[in-house]
Amino acid sequence: MSVERIEPELVLKVTPPRGQKSALVRPRLSFASPQLLDKMAIAVQAPAGFGKTLLLAQWRRESLSRGAIVAWLTLDDRDNGMRFVQGLAAAMAVGSGRPAFAQSVERLLGHTSDELEALTGWLADVVDLGSDIVLILDDVHCLPEQTVRHSLTYLLHNAPANLRVVMASRGRLSLPVGDLLAHAQYAQLGVEELRFQPEETLGLLTARFAGRVDADLNMRLHELTEGWPLGLQLALAALEKSTDLAAAVQSLSTCSGDIQQYFVDSLIARLPREQVDFLIRIALLDMLHPQLCAALVENPAAGEWLQQLCLVTPIFVEGLDSDWLRIHPLALEFLRGHFVRLPLAERQQLHQKAAGWLAEHGLFEEAARQALMAGSAEQAHQLVEHCLYDIMLRGQFGRVLEWIEILPTLEVGARPGLRLAAAWALSIGARHAEAAGLIAYIQNDPQAEPSKRCEADAIAAAAAMFADRPDEAYRIIAPWLDQPAFGSARLQSIVAGHRARFSLFSGQPEKARHLCQHAPSYECPYGLDAIRGFNQWCFGGSYLWEGRMLPAQKVLRASLERAEQDIGRRSAVAVSIAAGLAAVLLECDEVQEAHSVLANRLDAIDRGAAPESIALGYVTLARLAVLQGQLQRAYELLDALFALGEVRNTPRFAIVSLFEQIRMHSLRGHGDTCLALWRRLDALVPDSVREQRGLLGPELAVHVLLAKVYVCLAQRDWPGMLAALEPAALLTERLRRGRESVQIKLLKALALRNAGGNGLDMLREAVGLAEDYGMRRSLEDIHPEIAEWIRTLRADEGQVALAVSPAVPVIPVARNEQGHTQVAASRLLTPKEREVLQLLARNLSNKQIAQALSVGEETVKWHLKNLFGKFQAGTRKHVVDRAYMLGILHAAD
C-alpha cells in the first residue's frame, strides 16, 4: 500500500476536515493546558453539535506548530480490526509523508490475519520515526465494539512514549482505562468542558457584531443557548438579520427562522417517522429517563430509541454519571410546538402517565406539574405540598412563587406545608404584607409549638429586613436570640444568620463572621441551600463592610460559584452575592470581571436581593458605565434606583442614589448641580438618619455626611469640607466602615493641602491602608487631584507609579488575515522544504525561488520533487492547496 495507491475511501478518511476561518480558538482547552499536558490519551465525549471536531482541528494546528507529526483518521462502523490498522497506516503515511511507513504495514498485513500483530508492527514503526506523533481518531463511537475492546484498547495500553492519542466520540467509550487514570495518562472532556463560557460567547459575538454587543446581551444569549456551541451558532445566524440585537435576543425563538429550519432539516426530515413521533411525545418532560420514556409510550424499546437519538441528533444533554437526560431548551421549544398539536385527550393521557411514574419515584414537583397539565388539580395540590417547603429550603424562591401564582389561594392557606413555603418566598422580595398574612395564625396562637412560633417570627423578621427595616426585624426576633438552642439545626442556623446581620449593622463585622462560621450544621443532600447561602453572603459582606477587599473577593467568589452551581445564577442567593462581589472586583480594579458578574442580573437583583445588595448593584453598574464613558447610562441607573426607593418606600435607595449623583457631579466641578441635589437629599432624610438612631440610621448617615463633603468639594470650600469630614470620620470609625474611612482620609488630605495645611502624612496613611486593603480603584476615583498627587509622590520617592486602569474594558477582536503566509514547523518537512513551500505559495518561479534562497535551480527542483511526493500532488498549485488543507500552510497573523 504505497502512498500513491491508497484507496480513495481511505484518502477521505485520513484527510482532516476543512478549517473554518471563523472558528474560535479556545485557549482554555488548549492542547498544552494543564489538564491535558503530558496526557498520553485524551477522550472528547459529547453529543453532536458540541464542537468536538473543531476542537480536534485546533489541537491539530497546535501540534503542527510545535513540529509534531499529526495523523488524522475518521472512523466508521466497517473499521474492524484489520481495516482499523489499514486506516492507521494510511493516516501515518499521509501525516508523516513517508511512503515506507505504509509499505511496511502492507507487507505485514500480507502474511498475517492477526490485527494485534499488525498493530504491533505499526506501533514499532511509530517508535522508529523518533518524532512526537499525535494520532487523532474522530467518530470513535462508530467503531465496532469488538474493535474498541481489542484493537483500540491494545493501542492505548501499548502506545510508545512519542505517541499521543486523541479520540472524539458522541457517546461514552467503554474502555478499560483505570491504569491510565491511575498514572495520570488519561484525560476526558465532556459536555460541561465543551460548553462555551461567557467570555467565549463574548468572543464570538464581538467577532460577528463588533461594537453592537454589551455584557447584558452577551449573558442573555449565553444563558439562552446554555453554552451549546451549535445552538449559539444557530442563534448568531438568526441575529445577523436584525438591526436591533437586544430586541432580537429577547424575542429569539425556535418557532421561526433559521433555527426552526435547522430542526426541521435535522430532526423531522432525517429521522424515521417512528422516532419523530417518539421525540414529540417525550417533549412534555423537562428531564428524561429511559424507564420514564418507556412508561410514557408503553414501549420497552424506548430506552434503545433514546440511546440512538443521542448519537444521531445534537439536542440531548446527558447528566454526569447518570441515566437522566434533557433536551436542549432551543430544541425543546420546537418539539413542544409539535406536541401541542396532538389531540387534547392524548396529551392529557401522556401527562397523567408521566405524573404517575414521577410520583412513584419520589419526584413530586415534576409529578405535580404533569398532573396539573393532565387536569388532575387535586392530585397536583397534594403532590406539590410534599415538596414545596423543601424547594424553598434549597433557595429556589422563584419556583415557589411560580407555584403560588398557579395554586388557588384557598389551597395555599389550607395546607401548612404550602403556607410556610409561600411565606418564606414572599418575604424574600417585595411582597411582605402577603407573607405576614400567611404566618399571622401562628404568631397569634399562644398554644403553637415554640419551634413553629420561632420560625414564623424568623419569616416576619426576614420580611422586615428585606423591606430595609432592621429595627423592626430586631424587635420581632429578639425574644429568640438569647433562648437556649431548641428546634432543628436549620432553625437554629436561621436565627444565627439574623444575629450576624444585626451584628454587622452595629459595626461588629468580626462578630458577624464568628456567628456565620459557627452556625449550627446540618445535613444538606443537594449542596448549598438558602440558609447557608445567605450566611455566606453575610460572611463575605462583613469583609466588604470593613473595606478588606482581598478576603472579601476570595470568600464571595467561592460562595458565588457554589450558589450558581447549586441554586442557580439568577436565584436570590446568587444575585445578592454577585452584587457584593462586583463591588469588590471594581474596587480591586478588575473591571471586566465586575461587568461579567453583574451581566443580565439587574432585574433579578431588583426582585430578590437584599436592599443593601440592590443599592450596591445599581451603584456598581453606574460606576462601570462611567468607566466606559457612558455618563448618561450611569445617570439613568441612579434615577432608576431613586424611583425604586419611592415605589417601595425605601429611603436607602433614594439616599444612595442622590449621594452617588452628588459625588459624580462634584468630581466634575458642577457646584450648582451638587447644591440642587443636596437640597433634594436634605428634604427626604428621615429623622432616624439625622439623629443616627437605630440599626439603619447610622449607616445611611454616612452617605448623607459624605454627600455634604462632596458638595463642599465642588464649591472648593476647604474649611467647610474639613468641618464636614470630622463627624463623617467619627461615624465611619465607630461603624468600622473601612472603605469610607480610607476615602475620608484621602479627602481630608486634599482639603488640608488646599487650605494651606500639611496633608502629606494623612495622604501617606490613606494610601498605605488602601494598598493593604486592596482598594486600587479608590486611589484613582476619589478625585483627580488626589490621583495626580499620589503619582507625583510616588515618582518623587522613586516608587513605581500606580497603574491607571483603562476606562473601557478590553474586548477581544477578530484577527485580520494579511497577505503573507506561514509554514507550520511540522516534521513532515525539512527546514529547506518549508522555505521553498512558503515561496511557492507566493507564486514565485523556480528561478525566483533559487535567487531568494541563494541556491541553484536544480536544488529547487529537487525540493519540489520531495514536496510533490509528500503532499501526493501533481502540480505546483496542488502542492499549495494540499498544504493549506493539511494546515501546514496558513495565512500569517
Side-chain angles (χ1 to χ4, degrees):
M1 185 175 63
S2 64
V3 175
E4 291 80 4
R5 292 189 289 111
I6 295 177
E7 298 176 25
E9 186 177 2
L10 277 180
V11 172
L12 295 176
K13 288 164 62 68
V14 301
T15 301
R18 183 189 300 273
Q20 296 184 13
K21 293 182 180 180
S22 61
L24 179 71
V25 175
R26 308 178 70 179
R28 175 176 62 87
L29 299 177
S30 168
F31 209 40
S33 62
Q35 62 179 330
L36 302 177
L37 189 64
D38 298 330
K39 296 295 189 292
M40 185 279 295
I42 302 170
V44 184
Q45 301 175 182
F50 272 88
K52 298 185 297 299
T53 301
L54 288 177
L55 182 59
L56 297 188
Q58 174 183 319
W59 290 348
R60 180 176 177 277
R61 290 192 299 270
E62 292 178 20
S63 301
L64 286 171
S65 69
R66 290 194 297 271
I69 292 173
V70 183
W72 183 289
L73 178 59
T74 302
L75 300 165
D76 58 47
D77 56 4
R78 292 174 298 165
D79 286 318
N80 56 28
M82 296 302 288
R83 184 177 170 81
F84 177 61
V85 179
Q86 285 180 306
L88 294 176
M92 281 302 302
V94 172
S96 67
R98 290 167 171 80
F101 193 98
Q103 292 164 359
S104 66
V105 175
E106 183 183 38
R107 287 192 298 271
L108 184 60
L109 291 172
H111 72 267
T112 181
S113 59
D114 185 347
E115 67 266 24
L116 296 187
E117 183 180 350
L119 188 53
T120 301
W122 182 86
L123 289 168
D125 287 337
V126 167
V127 174
D128 287 342
L129 281 177
S131 303
D132 289 333
I133 298 170
V134 176
L135 171 64
I136 299 178
L137 302 176
D138 200 7
D139 289 345
V140 179
H141 58 274
C142 295
L143 271 181
E145 184 64 27
Q146 181 80 359
T147 306
V148 173
R149 284 202 310 266
H150 293 280
S151 300
L152 183 57
T153 300
Y154 182 85
L155 170 63
L156 294 179
H157 287 82
N158 292 276
N162 64 327
L163 177 65
R164 296 182 76 183
V165 182
V166 177
M167 301 165 287
S169 170
R170 291 186 181 180
R172 301 174 189 174
L173 297 176
S174 302
L175 289 168
V177 292
D179 56 334
L180 297 178
L181 284 168
H183 292 89
Q185 291 295 303
Y186 184 83
Q188 180 174 303
L189 300 183
V191 166
E192 293 308 314
E193 290 82 9
L194 293 178
R195 287 187 194 281
F196 272 54
Q197 293 189 347
E199 58 271 18
E200 293 173 322
T201 302
L202 179 61
L204 277 180
L205 277 170
T206 303
R208 194 74 65 93
F209 301 110
R212 298 169 60 196
V213 299
D214 58 28
D216 279 351
L217 185 146
N218 172 67
M219 189 56 70
R220 284 198 296 273
L221 185 61
H222 180 79
E223 291 177 346
L224 177 68
T225 60
E226 297 185 342
W228 181 31
L230 177 58
L232 184 58
Q233 292 289 353
L234 290 170
L236 290 180
L239 295 179
E240 281 185 327
K241 301 174 183 178
S242 174
T243 56
D244 186 344
L245 288 183
V249 170
Q250 190 70 26
S251 61
L252 194 63
S253 169
T254 61
C255 297
S256 62
D258 295 339
I259 299 179
Q260 183 192 40
Q261 189 59 48
Y262 169 78
F263 287 122
V264 169
D265 291 343
S266 65
L267 298 181
I268 303 300
R270 294 188 182 181
L271 295 177
R273 186 68 234 177
E274 184 181 48
Q275 292 186 352
V276 172
D277 291 342
F278 174 66
L279 273 176
I280 291 172
R281 281 157 179 77
I282 65 174
L284 63 90
L285 300 164
D286 291 324
M287 296 295 294
L288 305 172
H289 190 280
Q291 295 178 12
L292 172 56
C293 293
L296 198 64
V297 299
E298 297 182 354
N299 191 325
E304 296 178 10
W305 292 349
L306 202 58
Q307 186 176 12
Q308 292 171 6
L309 287 167
C310 284
L311 292 176
V312 300
T313 67
I315 65 172
F316 290 97
V317 180
E318 296 185 67
L320 184 63
D321 298 324
S322 168
D323 290 330
W324 285 93
L325 305 168
R326 63 186 180 87
I327 301 175
H328 192 280
L330 287 175
L332 191 59
E333 182 188 352
F334 170 80
L335 290 171
R336 283 181 175 171
H338 288 265
F339 177 79
V340 297
R341 300 173 195 168
L342 296 176
L344 175 62
E346 182 181 359
R347 295 203 310 270
Q348 288 185 330
Q349 185 181 28
L350 288 167
H351 285 304
Q352 193 62 58
K353 290 178 183 177
W357 191 95
L358 290 164
E360 184 181 341
H361 290 79
L363 303 169
F364 298 115
E365 185 187 12
E366 293 81 359
R369 292 188 188 281
Q370 296 299 325
L372 206 59
M373 287 184 282
S376 303
E378 178 61 26
Q379 180 189 9
H381 301 160
Q382 293 175 357
L383 288 167
V384 79
E385 187 178 12
H386 277 291
C387 60
L388 202 62
Y389 189 82
D390 191 57
I391 293 169
M392 178 278 300
L393 284 174
R394 282 151 53 188
Q396 302 289 349
F397 300 112
R399 280 164 56 190
V400 176
L401 291 175
E402 287 176 8
W403 278 108
I404 299 308
E405 297 302 322
I406 294 172
L407 296 169
T409 304
L410 291 177
E411 287 289 338
V412 175
R415 298 177 183 270
L418 297 180
R419 192 160 44 206
L420 279 178
W424 272 116
L426 292 167
S427 71
I428 309 298
R431 300 169 66 177
H432 310 126
E434 295 175 67
L438 289 171
I439 57 173
Y441 80 100
I442 299 177
Q443 291 177 303
N444 298 329
D445 181 6
Q447 303 301 318
E449 296 178 13
S451 60
K452 292 283 182 64
R453 287 191 287 115
C454 178
E455 182 168 7
D457 285 344
I459 293 172
M465 292 293 279
F466 274 79
D468 212 22
R469 299 194 294 268
D471 293 307
E472 179 184 333
Y474 182 79
R475 287 194 297 272
I476 294 170
I477 200 69
W480 306 99
L481 296 180
D482 297 321
Q483 291 275 3
F486 70 93
S488 67
R490 280 198 178 97
L491 184 56
Q492 294 175 43
S493 189
I494 291 171
V495 174
H498 277 302
R499 291 182 65 194
R501 293 283 301 282
F502 297 139
S503 298
L504 202 54
F505 276 111
S506 301
Q508 299 174 296
E510 71 289 332
K511 182 177 179 181
R513 284 195 292 274
H514 176 83
L515 289 167
C516 290
Q517 283 182 307
H518 294 86
S521 60
Y522 53 88
E523 291 296 325
C524 184
Y526 32 71
L528 191 70
D529 64 358
I531 302 168
R532 285 199 179 104
F534 279 121
N535 282 352
Q536 287 189 14
W537 164 67
C538 184
F539 182 77
S542 69
Y543 286 115
L544 175 57
W545 181 284
E546 290 180 302
R548 297 169 60 188
M549 301 300 166
L550 301 180
Q553 182 180 155
K554 180 180 179 181
V555 171
L556 290 172
R557 179 180 277 121
S559 299
L560 183 59
E561 288 177 359
R562 286 200 62 194
E564 290 180 341
Q565 177 181 337
D566 296 340
I567 307 178
R569 187 179 186 273
R570 290 166 60 83
S571 65
V573 173
V575 298
S576 293
I577 296 172
L581 177 59
V584 171
L585 290 168
L586 176 58
E587 189 60 63
C588 294
D589 212 17
E590 298 182 28
V591 176
Q592 183 60 56
E593 188 178 356
H595 267 291
S596 298
V597 166
L598 284 179
N600 197 31
R601 270 183 165 138
L602 188 58
D603 61 323
I605 289 174
D606 271 357
R607 287 195 304 271
E612 50 266 57
S613 293
I614 293 174
L616 265 180
Y618 273 92
V619 169
T620 302
L621 281 171
R623 292 184 178 182
L624 288 169
V626 171
L627 290 177
Q628 289 183 308
Q630 300 175 351
L631 275 176
Q632 189 58 41
R633 167 66 174 159
Y635 291 133
E636 288 173 357
L637 285 164
L638 295 175
D639 286 342
L641 179 61
F642 185 91
L644 191 64
E646 289 186 316
V647 170
R648 295 190 183 179
N649 191 26
T650 307
R652 176 196 295 271
F653 298 157
I655 290 172
V656 170
S657 169
L658 291 173
F659 160 69
E660 186 63 20
Q661 291 182 62
I662 289 172
R663 188 190 72 85
M664 288 169 56
H665 283 290
S666 176
L667 297 184
R668 288 159 179 77
H670 301 162
D672 290 343
T673 303
C674 286
L675 280 173
L677 289 168
W678 168 256
R679 285 191 286 269
R680 287 179 62 194
L681 176 59
D682 189 55
L684 58 80
V685 174
D687 290 340
S688 61
V689 176
R690 294 185 190 279
E691 300 165 11
Q692 300 178 21
R693 286 188 283 107
L695 292 170
L696 187 60
E699 182 189 355
L700 297 186
V702 171
H703 296 286
V704 176
L705 292 171
L706 283 176
K708 182 64 175 177
V709 169
Y710 276 105
V711 171
C712 293
L713 176 58
Q715 301 291 328
R716 312 294 284 181
D717 177 6
W718 307 117
M721 184 173 169
L722 287 169
L725 281 166
E726 287 306 314
L730 291 174
L731 182 56
T732 54
E733 289 172 9
R734 176 164 68 87
L735 291 178
R736 308 273 297 280
R737 300 283 294 195
R739 181 171 180 268
E740 289 82 358
S741 293
V742 170
Q743 291 175 340
I744 287 171
K745 286 179 170 58
L746 290 168
L747 291 167
K748 186 174 182 180
L750 178 65
L752 285 170
R753 182 192 194 193
N754 284 280
N758 180 15
L760 189 57
D761 291 339
M762 182 67 71
L763 179 70
R764 285 197 175 102
E765 180 182 349
V767 170
L769 287 171
E771 290 176 341
D772 291 342
Y773 290 165
M775 293 170 49
R776 296 188 61 194
R777 179 49 61 182
S778 282
L779 297 178
E780 293 296 331
D781 286 352
I782 190 70
H783 194 274
E785 290 182 32
I786 297 175
E788 184 59 34
W789 189 8
I790 293 171
R791 293 188 191 94
T792 303
L793 177 64
R794 291 183 179 278
D796 290 344
E797 295 180 352
Q799 298 181 25
V800 178
L802 190 67
V804 181
S805 296
V808 181
V810 177
I811 297 178
V813 297
R815 297 179 177 179
N816 295 319
E817 287 192 1
Q818 306 297 319
H820 299 291
T821 56
Q822 289 182 347
V823 182
S826 170
R827 294 190 182 181
L828 174 63
L829 306 179
T830 66
K832 189 61 69 176
E833 288 169 351
R834 291 199 291 269
E835 293 178 6
V836 172
L837 177 60
Q838 187 167 20
L839 295 172
L840 189 65
R842 292 168 57 186
N843 256 347
L844 270 63
S845 66
N846 288 358
K847 184 175 181 179
Q848 290 171 321
I849 294 174
Q851 290 174 346
L853 298 179
S854 299
V855 298
E857 285 190 57
E858 290 302 317
T859 303
V860 173
K861 291 179 181 178
W862 171 262
H863 290 309
L864 283 176
K865 180 182 178 182
N866 291 336
L867 290 173
F868 286 144
K870 290 182 178 182
F871 288 112
Q872 305 170 59
T875 66
R876 296 160 66 92
K877 185 179 183 301
H878 196 187
V879 169
V880 174
D881 289 343
R882 289 280 295 168
Y884 271 117
M885 184 192 69
L886 294 172
I888 305 296
L889 194 62
H890 57 88
D893 294 335

